[in-house]
């Protein structure tokens, strides 16, 4: 598990590694996935280093709520069609068994016309 100083998503949130930014505020950063599964595929991350949902506690409830509430607005801005015909998928891979490769909590938001590469 990577420590914050070696964490690729901490570096992306800090602008030390370039990314295609979708959104930034004081607590959150959103950017396009480098290998998109769907026509729209971006990630929302907390700027704070939390390794995964397995480390999320009550003290993170507001932060996680902000991530969830931000997703629909950004999905529409990025070209997902509107609910109910349109929509998007939110994925939070957690741990090796959950398919997590980058150990900085991140919410995948995927959408757009099908077929998708995966998902
Ligand atoms: P996980 O499998 O951990 O849920 O997803 C990690 C995601 O991060 C993958 O979809 C992968 O394509 C994406 N990713 C990994 N490294 C980078 C990077 O340097 N830049 C961007 N934009 N995405 C990355
Ligand atoms: Zn990190």
């Amino acid at each position: 598990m990577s420590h914050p100083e070696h964490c690729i998503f901490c570096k992306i949130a800090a602008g030390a590694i370039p990314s295609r930014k979708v959104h930034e505020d004081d607590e959150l950063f959103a950017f396009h996935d480098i290998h998109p599964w769907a026509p729209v595929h971006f990630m929302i991350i907390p700027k704070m280093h939390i390794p995964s949902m397995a480390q999320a506690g009550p003290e993170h409830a507001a932060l996680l709520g902000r991530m969830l509430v931000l997703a629909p607005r950004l999905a529409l801005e990025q070209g997902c069609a509107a609910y109910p015909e349109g929509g998007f998928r939110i994925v939070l891979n957690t741990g090796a068994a959950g398919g997590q490769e980058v150990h900085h909590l991140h919410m995948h938001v995927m959408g757009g016309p099908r077929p998708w590469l995966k998902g």
Side-chain angles (χ1 to χ4, degrees), residues 73-112:
R73 174 162 79 76
L74 296 185
L76 283 176
E77 285 177 13
Q78 292 304 313
C80 293
Y83 177 93
E85 291 80 13
F88 51 87
R89 175 173 293 176
I90 288 176
V91 173
L92 275 156
N93 295 327
T94 305
Q100 184 179 8
E101 291 177 356
V102 177
H103 290 266
H104 177 128
L105 193 152
H106 53 279
M107 179 184 284
H108 294 261
V109 183
M110 289 168 272

Side-chain angles (χ1 to χ4, degrees), residues 31-91:
F31 58 102
H32 291 279
D33 197 295
I34 205 164
H35 294 126
W37 293 11
V40 176
H41 186 176
F42 61 88
M43 283 175 290
I44 302 175
I45 66 172
K47 287 184 170 176
M48 169 197 289
H49 183 84
I50 305 168
S52 81
M53 282 302 292
Q55 288 77 30
E59 68 276 24
H60 302 120
L63 181 69
L64 291 165
R66 279 193 283 278
M67 290 170 67
L68 278 169
V69 167
L70 181 61
R73 174 162 79 76
L74 296 185
L76 283 176
E77 285 177 13
Q78 292 304 313
C80 293
Y83 177 93
E85 291 80 13
F88 51 87
R89 175 173 293 176
I90 288 176
V91 173

Side-chain angles (χ1 to χ4, degrees), residues 2-4 7-11 47-50 103-104:
S2 59
H3 294 288
C7 171
I8 189 166
F9 283 4
C10 280
K11 289 179 181 167
K47 287 184 170 176
M48 169 197 289
H49 183 84
I50 305 168
H103 290 266
H104 177 128

Side-chain angles (χ1 to χ4, degrees), residues 4-26:
E5 61 268 31
H6 302 301
C7 171
I8 189 166
F9 283 4
C10 280
K11 289 179 181 167
I12 285 176
I17 291 178
S19 68
R20 289 175 56 220
K21 183 160 87 176
V22 168
H23 170 87
E24 180 171 10
D25 61 44
D26 54 338

